[in-house]
Amino acid sequence: MKEPLGVIGAGWVGLVTAACFADLGHDVVVRDVVPERVAELEAGRVPIFEPGLAELLAANGERIRYTLDMADVFERARLAFVCVDTPPTHSGDADLSRVSRVVEELPDLAERMILIMKSTVPVGTGALVRERLDRMGLAHVGYVSNPEFLAEGSGLHDFRNPDRVVVGAFAQRDADAVAALYRFVEAPILQTDVASAEMVKMASNAFLATRVSFINEIANVCEVTGADVEAVARGVGLDHRLGPHFLRAGIGYGGSCFPKDTSALKQLAANSGYHFQLLTAVIEVNELQKRRVVWKLVKHLGSLRGTTIALLGLAFKPNTDDMREASSLVLSARLLADGASIAGYDPVAEEEARKLISGIEFAASAQEALAGADAAVLVTEWPEFAELDFADVAAAMRGQLVVDGRNYLDPAAVRAAGLLYEGIGRPGPNGKDR
Ligand code: UDX
């Protein structure tokens, strides 16, 4: 029989973890503090969008139980994943109050149990929790850092096919117990100290964000020099030392991880008296990149006052309804401030978008958003936008400008319909140099 497991926090990471381990045959008790969320999950409704997740939870329903009560988690399980959120505070540090609450609520068990931290936490959190547990007389509760590297939209696949599993522990037997859960993976299982495991997660996300800001700056330089960043990225990516990933130029990164984790790492360094210059620049480049589209629109349309702009896609990336730190948030706020009207369309994220964006029209389809628009901006590379018939687009729009914020469309197809194509770091609107 497989080891029963606990999962504390029924957010995206918690539910993906629960579904995948249940699918491997583990009994899993998932605990959350929000009664409505637990009730929804019990009723078979999954309150987040992740391809395949609802199906996997349903298929393994027999092995998954949801609860509000921490005691239920440890009724049978001796290993529990902590998957609570750690949002940024006003200072840019991570808010660890939910982690603290988990520690406070641990039941009084005499037996050994292990808290396995999956939430992204600043380096040093494990040491703090360890001290706290010891002070509380819970020296028998083990603590392991086991960061997740799952990307939204491909969470199930990433869980089953990780590049590596990182296990940072204070005690070897805890590391071994957690490593044993990942026997199914073919990838290396890296055992480290707790602080290093915590840093692997922060450094990985910071490095990926750095690659994105780097290629975005190269794209901006391509625009003034006449090079095409798509060709440049292919050429750079073929160097085996560099690799092809995370070199897609666009209008900036968003989501629940990169903005939060880069800021947390910057603050962590600053709190220790170190100014992380490179990361500071990465963050600033990203902020400016989110605004570059406005400049492109002004270049073609002049003043934006009284114009109508169609935003195609609102989520921070495709295959998710996550709107956290999405480029569409900054973009829509800037455009509204400049006096434009906005018709936004997203195939999945409208409900989430409505919570964060006000003052724009939400369209039911791409065609509806494009009707009468002076310009269209592709914000999120949803596959359906590649299927657009650009003759129909040209007929529906009032203007001609299509700004492809993700270099996702085929410039030739857009131009063939008589539209002006502007990508990011690609040759000018008529296919020639600027
Ligand atoms: C990321 C990490 O990939 C994952 O390992 C970590 O656990 C959480 O953070 P996620 O935020 O889901 O995952 O999305 P990801 O696919 O990495 O994209 C992040 C952002 O970068 C998106 O806004 C995306 O549009 C942008 N991006 C990514 C680019 O602009 N260019 C790229 O080349 C890649």
Side-chain angles (χ1 to χ4, degrees):
M1 231 208 39
K2 291 267 172 82
E3 172 109 42
L5 298 172
V7 168
I8 302 168
W12 184 84
V13 173
L15 291 177
V16 170
T17 303
C20 289
F21 274 115
D23 199 46
L24 289 164
H26 296 267
D27 282 331
V28 183
V29 176
V30 182
R31 187 267 182 151
D32 202 278
V33 287
V34 181
E36 298 77 27
R37 179 162 280 239
V38 170
E40 284 222 29
L41 287 163
E42 277 177 335
R45 286 189 297 276
V46 180
I48 50 173
F49 178 85
E50 175 64 25
L53 178 60
E55 293 81 353
L56 199 66
L57 287 169
N60 292 285
E62 273 184 6
R63 278 189 290 277
I64 306 175
R65 192 152 69 86
Y66 302 98
T67 182
L68 284 165
D69 190 352
M70 188 70 99
D72 291 343
V73 173
F74 294 98
E75 198 183 297
R76 286 179 54 223
R78 293 295 169 264
L79 275 67
F81 290 98
V82 180
C83 306
V84 295
D85 56 339
T86 52
T89 60
H90 292 297
S91 60
D93 295 284
D95 175 358
L96 295 176
S97 57
R98 293 163 185 83
V99 173
S100 301
R101 194 164 159 191
V102 170
V103 174
E104 280 156 21
E105 289 180 347
L106 287 178
D108 194 8
L109 277 188
E111 275 174 73
R112 184 158 191 87
M113 57 192 195
I114 306 176
L115 287 181
I116 310 167
M117 185 59 69
K118 276 226 173 281
S119 302
T120 301
V121 292
V123 181
T125 302
L128 282 176
V129 174
R130 181 68 271 154
E131 259 174 42
R132 183 117 172 253
L133 289 167
D134 292 346
R135 269 203 319 272
M136 290 165 73
L138 297 173
H140 60 286
V141 176
Y143 180 97
V144 171
S145 166
N146 172 219
E148 53 86 14
F149 303 97
L150 314 171
E152 288 181 33
S154 57
L156 306 181
H157 174 270
D158 295 349
F159 182 95
R160 292 166 177 151
N161 306 283
D163 289 339
R164 77 303 208 187
V165 172
V166 178
V167 175
F170 294 106
Q172 187 58 45
R173 61 175 164 163
D174 294 342
D176 292 341
V178 174
L181 294 177
Y182 290 96
R183 268 189 296 256
F184 68 94
V185 304
E186 281 170 22
I189 297 184
L190 177 70
Q191 293 199 11
T192 67
D193 57 281
V194 172
S196 302
E198 292 167 342
M199 186 57 106
V200 170
K201 167 75 190 199
M202 296 189 103
S204 299
N205 274 351
F207 202 176
L208 291 169
T210 301
R211 286 179 68 102
V212 176
S213 277
F214 180 81
I215 200 67
N216 282 339
E217 286 216 288
I218 292 290
N220 299 343
V221 179
C222 281
E223 289 186 1
V224 291
T225 53
D228 181 343
V229 73
E230 293 298 306
V232 174
R234 275 197 297 281
V236 169
L238 284 169
D239 185 324
H240 76 277
R241 296 167 303 177
L242 299 171
H245 305 290
F246 281 73
L247 289 178
R248 278 181 286 116
I251 52 172
Y253 60 76
S256 64
C257 287
F258 286 4
K260 175 173 79 98
D261 294 354
T262 47
S263 158
L265 182 51
K266 180 184 153 177
Q267 288 311 323
L268 182 74
N271 295 345
S272 327
Y274 182 73
H275 178 49
F276 201 147
Q277 292 191 59
L278 183 58
L279 201 51
T280 303
V282 166
I283 295 166
E284 189 179 304
V285 167
N286 194 53
E287 287 308 313
L288 295 174
Q289 199 69 14
K290 289 181 177 179
R291 291 163 166 78
R292 266 187 86 79
V293 166
V294 180
W295 170 80
K296 285 176 185 286
L297 292 170
V298 169
K299 189 175 82 176
H300 287 275
L301 304 178
S303 165
L304 298 182
R305 186 157 301 136
T307 59
T308 301
I309 312 294
L311 298 187
L312 300 182
L314 300 168
F316 87 94
K317 69 172 193 177
N319 292 321
T320 174
D321 64 350
D322 200 334
M323 285 293 298
R324 282 175 286 181
E325 305 286 339
S327 297
S328 62
L329 299 174
V330 173
L331 187 55
S332 54
R334 279 289 323 119
L335 293 175
L336 289 174
D338 280 0
S341 300
I342 300 174
Y345 165 68
D346 191 285
V348 169
E350 180 180 331
E351 196 182 325
E352 291 301 310
R354 280 183 184 274
K355 296 177 192 163
L356 297 174
I357 307 180
S358 52
I360 79 168
E361 295 291 325
F362 287 95
S365 66
Q367 280 298 338
E368 192 181 309
L370 290 162
D374 294 290
V377 181
L378 185 139
V379 180
T380 316
E381 64 276 38
W382 284 102
E384 68 173 68
F385 300 141
E387 307 294 317
L388 283 171
D389 180 329
F390 288 99
D392 291 349
V393 172
M397 286 174 63
R398 182 162 63 191
Q400 291 180 304
L401 179 63
V402 175
V403 180
D404 181 0
R406 299 289 173 186
N407 289 350
Y408 186 60
L409 304 173
D410 174 6
V414 177
R415 291 187 184 117
L419 294 162
L420 290 175
Y421 176 91
E422 271 269 6
I424 305 292
R426 283 176 141 179
N430 301 311
K432 304 190 194 79
D433 288 352
R434 271 141 226 282

